[in-house]
Amino acid sequence: MDAYLPYLLALGIGFIAGLRAMTAPAAVAWGAWLGWFSLAGTAMAFMGSIIAVIIFSLLAFFELITDQLPSTPSRKVPVQFIARLIMGGLSGAAVGAVFGVTLAGMACGVAGAVLGTYIGAAFRAALAKAFRKDLPAALIEDVIALGGAFLIVHHHL
């Protein structure tokens, strides 16, 4: 199982990007900046900078707010979907870099973003139908994304 851990963690953080695109890189930036894992000496070292923490945290915060608005487009439209793939790849690459598998981590992050996008959309639609409104479903998805991101980056990387 340990041999697969880097790939599973990268897939997982990519899945989070499929749920909330900016939550994944924000969590990775915070984890690296807080010293939960080291990206020093890797191509992803910039993710542990205070600048990355600030930028991705602000983007994640605004994403959490705008996601609640009825005018927000579907996560499956090209611009939203591509953003999730890019952020999943970036976050997966950073997680992979911790283990020396940056490119494989990137690929797993992108795959996870695809899964998170489609599974997350179906899950939220089912919850919204059950609640007869979207807001509770969106908030539950927010909690899953934030909690999942924390568990992944706080895992002993």
Side-chain angles (χ1 to χ4, degrees), residues 57-147:
S57 295
L58 287 172
L59 291 171
F61 175 76
F62 288 118
E63 180 183 34
L64 289 172
I65 292 170
T66 60
D67 182 64
Q68 314 307 319
L69 303 174
S71 61
T72 302
S74 166
R75 71 185 83 200
K76 297 184 282 184
V77 299
V79 171
Q80 297 281 344
F81 186 64
I82 290 168
R84 285 162 171 25
L85 297 180
I86 292 169
M87 292 302 113
L90 174 69
S91 302
V95 168
V98 173
F99 299 95
V101 292
T102 305
L103 292 178
M106 181 187 301
C108 290
V110 170
V114 171
L115 294 171
T117 298
Y118 286 100
I119 292 170
F123 177 71
R124 179 164 167 179
L127 281 178
K129 184 177 179 182
F131 286 116
R132 298 178 191 232
K133 55 175 127 177
D134 187 62
L135 183 60
L139 294 174
I140 289 169
E141 189 179 14
D142 289 344
V143 170
I144 291 169
L146 292 166

Side-chain angles (χ1 to χ4, degrees), residues 16-44:
I16 299 301
L19 300 178
R20 296 288 179 273
M22 296 302 162
T23 297
V28 169
W30 273 102
W33 188 71
L34 290 171
W36 292 345
F37 54 88
S38 177
L39 293 172
T42 72
M44 304 307 295

